[in-house]
Amino acid sequence: MDKFVIRGGNPLVGTIRVSGAKNSALPCMAAAILTADEVTLENIPQVHDIETQRRLFASMGAAVEMHEGERQDRITIDCRALTDPVARYEIVKTMRASSLVLGPLVARFGRADVAVPGGCAIGGRPIDLHIKGLERMGAEITQEHGYLKARARRLKGAHLVFDKITVTGTEDLLMAAVLAEGETLMENCAREPEVADLAALLTAMGAKIEGAGTATIRVQGVSRLHGARYRINPDRIEAGTFLIAGAITGGDLIVANCKTEHLGAVISKLIEAGVRVEVLGPGTVRVRAAGRLRAADISTEEYPGFPTDMQAQYMALATQAEGVSLVTENIFENRFMHVQELVRMGANIKVDGSTATVRGPARLSAAAVMCSDLRASASLVLAALVAEGESVIDRVYHMDRGYESIEQKLSAVGAQIQRMGNVFAAREQADPVAV
Ligand code: UD1
């Protein structure tokens, strides 16, 4: 298992480029199921979740070509040979977003067997709203042997009102609606930019969609979609993580190739916390420390509120701010797994229900810590960048799920970060207490 060894204390200086959005790439790949033509996606990040999605497609018979060479960020998906619409447990259990294939499989093939995702580190994460929506569109769904079995002739347009705002739920049902017969009206939809990204691809494939990116989406179903070529948005969570990296290290960092209009809540909060943030253009932000960081509360919300996917990284920053910051998590239960590890590095954090009270500034000291999920791992890397001494961060496979070449990107702007693979494994084997 790979680890990062990070020596803290270096301010990050220079320019860091943001990759394509993992959370746009995954639904956009699923959208390729809706057509027998080729779909080419550009700006695909080289992260492990994309490889998992590729394996899922291959297991169903589809072809996914990752383009080698200069433009490694391009993939072409061809679902002509997709004959086995089954999302197997072995894959779904490692990536819950695999349930995104449910809607498109039912819409195109009239059947899908998708393993029921189990619990995960950040909470139960059910998919009941995906199921309810498909049932309203005429699918029959049963559960057997840990699999959802969905069957339908042609799905029918329906009036869907989400009980709760769900990102992948909105995306899954949007993909089902584009091939359904008649009109689908979806209300209380997620307004995340990734939903709008998916809708833009679907529109390029011939779908008729209005309102994506707002709470109400109206879809006129069509009988077939064609192939398309589409460039997905930059990753706003990776961009936000870099903004915090610049701020927490007291550096001077330019975050390039992002979409600043997607970063509103994060940028406002950083300014409130005393960080100097300058938007240099629609795709470039400069972040600099301007004296001491000040405590500022956050409360996670659906977009355009402060993203839950930035909560753990913000908490690392809050440990360095003067005063008391309240960090409230409203989207997922159990998304404070990073707290114990930050505390082991010297942070002063108390959790009470869904609120963490962070008292700062704390002098962080390097420690051996363990990643528990994707964003928690980013939080530990950020803390290690300012901790005194050399931290060893274990289970970085969580980080690899969603951050492309993170150690190369950070070391290019001055971080002392190294990936250790076999060296550590060998050392651990020889002496289990040495690492
Ligand atoms: C997506 C993102 C994830 C992000 C999350 C919230 C992807 C691949 N993942 O996850 O990075 O953290 O949005 O911004 O895009 N819920 C139900 N029933 C459902 C579906 C969801 O109760 O059928 C609940 C969840 O348990 C959670 C809340 O709704 O409490 C929001 O979850 P949701 O927006 O669905 O998260 P994901 O789409 O899984």
Side-chain angles (χ1 to χ4, degrees):
M1 240 181 273
D2 286 6
K3 299 169 202 246
F4 283 148
V5 177
I6 299 177
R7 176 163 287 280
N10 286 15
L12 301 191
V13 178
T15 299
I16 195 161
R17 276 179 72 78
V18 176
S19 300
K22 164 185 91 71
N23 286 355
S24 283
L26 293 171
C28 286
M29 287 175 79
I33 293 172
L34 295 164
T35 175
D37 299 341
E38 279 185 1
V39 171
T40 296
L41 300 171
E42 296 173 357
N43 206 26
I44 294 288
Q46 306 283 305
V47 296
H48 201 259
D49 273 7
I50 299 299
E51 170 55 20
T52 305
Q53 185 88 324
R54 188 200 64 75
R55 278 198 296 124
L56 172 64
F57 274 66
S59 73
M60 296 191 295
V64 180
E65 193 188 338
M66 309 275 205
H67 295 273
E68 301 291 338
E70 233 171 82
R71 298 295 304 276
Q72 276 190 349
D73 64 353
R74 194 157 49 90
I75 59 173
T76 299
I77 307 173
D78 182 344
C79 289
R80 222 165 322 178
L82 196 161
T83 47
D84 188 20
V86 180
R88 291 180 175 74
Y89 181 63
E90 292 64 41
I91 296 178
V92 177
K93 75 174 180 198
T94 64
M95 188 180 72
R96 305 176 49 77
S98 348
S99 51
L100 274 168
V101 298
L102 179 63
L105 285 176
V106 182
R108 167 107 190 279
F109 299 100
R111 69 194 176 96
D113 291 1
V114 175
V116 181
C120 73
I122 63 171
R125 298 185 85 173
I127 57 163
D128 55 311
L129 302 174
H130 304 224
I131 298 169
K132 224 168 158 178
L134 285 172
E135 284 176 339
R136 286 200 45 93
M137 296 171 89
E140 276 186 23
I141 304 186
T142 53
Q143 189 177 330
E144 262 172 43
H145 309 299
Y147 278 76
L148 292 171
K149 288 185 181 297
R151 301 289 181 266
R153 294 179 83 85
R154 186 173 175 201
L155 293 174
K156 291 201 168 22
H159 183 187
L160 310 175
V161 184
F162 289 96
D163 294 343
K164 191 170 183 178
I165 298 176
T166 157
V167 179
T168 49
T170 301
E171 293 163 349
D172 205 8
L173 296 179
L174 174 61
M175 288 187 277
V178 292
L179 282 185
E181 194 182 331
E183 180 177 285
T184 299
L185 177 63
M186 298 165 65
E187 293 187 85
N188 201 26
C189 296
R191 292 178 287 165
E192 267 67 1
E194 293 75 27
V195 175
D197 222 2
L198 169 67
L201 165 65
L202 292 169
T203 303
M205 293 167 69
K208 301 213 172 339
I209 304 168
E210 275 170 37
T214 74
T216 305
I217 303 179
R218 199 180 283 275
V219 181
Q220 305 296 337
V222 296
S223 53
R224 75 175 285 279
L225 294 176
H226 50 75
R229 192 182 181 99
Y230 182 73
R231 185 172 180 81
I232 63 163
N233 272 324
D235 195 310
R236 64 194 167 96
I237 305 301
E238 189 196 15
T241 305
F242 292 154
L243 290 178
I244 291 187
I248 200 172
T249 59
D252 182 353
L253 196 61
I254 292 177
V255 179
N257 196 36
C258 58
K259 272 207 172 161
T260 50
E261 75 255 36
H262 296 162
L263 293 166
V266 172
I267 289 179
S268 317
K269 196 48 73 174
L270 290 179
I271 292 171
E272 194 184 328
V275 180
R276 241 166 102 187
V277 186
E278 270 172 274
V279 174
L280 303 178
T284 317
V285 200
R286 180 177 187 185
V287 68
R288 275 179 289 176
R292 291 205 147 196
L293 292 167
R294 294 189 293 269
D297 301 343
I298 61 157
S299 183
T300 63
E301 278 166 35
E302 294 88 0
Y303 189 84
F306 193 93
T308 174
D309 283 353
M310 284 298 300
Q311 179 257 106
Q313 299 90 314
Y314 183 81
M315 199 184 289
L317 184 81
T319 67
Q320 300 307 295
E322 198 158 293
V324 177
S325 309
L326 298 182
V327 173
T328 304
E329 174 56 55
N330 294 309
I331 308 294
F332 292 110
E333 82 251 32
N334 206 17
R335 203 174 196 181
F336 283 141
M337 307 281 280
H338 42 287
V339 169
Q340 278 319 309
E341 299 302 90
L342 291 174
V343 167
R344 294 188 53 247
M345 295 174 82
N348 181 344
I349 308 171
K350 297 262 178 320
V351 174
D352 182 11
S354 59
T355 299
T357 304
V358 187
R359 290 192 162 77
R363 233 186 84 226
L364 298 184
S365 65
V369 289
M370 190 115 73
C371 305
S372 53
D373 65 65
L374 171 57
R375 306 305 170 185
S377 55
S379 163
L380 299 181
V381 167
L382 292 168
L385 289 175
V386 286
E388 235 175 75
E390 195 173 86
S391 295
V392 178
I393 302 187
D394 200 353
R395 302 199 177 165
V396 298
Y397 61 84
H398 286 293
M399 189 103 187
D400 294 336
R401 286 189 50 197
Y403 287 89
E404 178 177 273
S405 311
I406 187 72
E407 69 273 29
Q408 278 107 306
K409 287 190 183 188
L410 290 176
S411 55
V413 289
Q416 292 192 60
I417 173 170
Q418 259 187 303
R419 180 182 291 263
M420 299 299 224
N422 298 336
V423 178
F424 271 84
R427 235 209 276 175
E428 260 176 308
Q429 250 179 5
D431 177 4
V433 289
V435 183

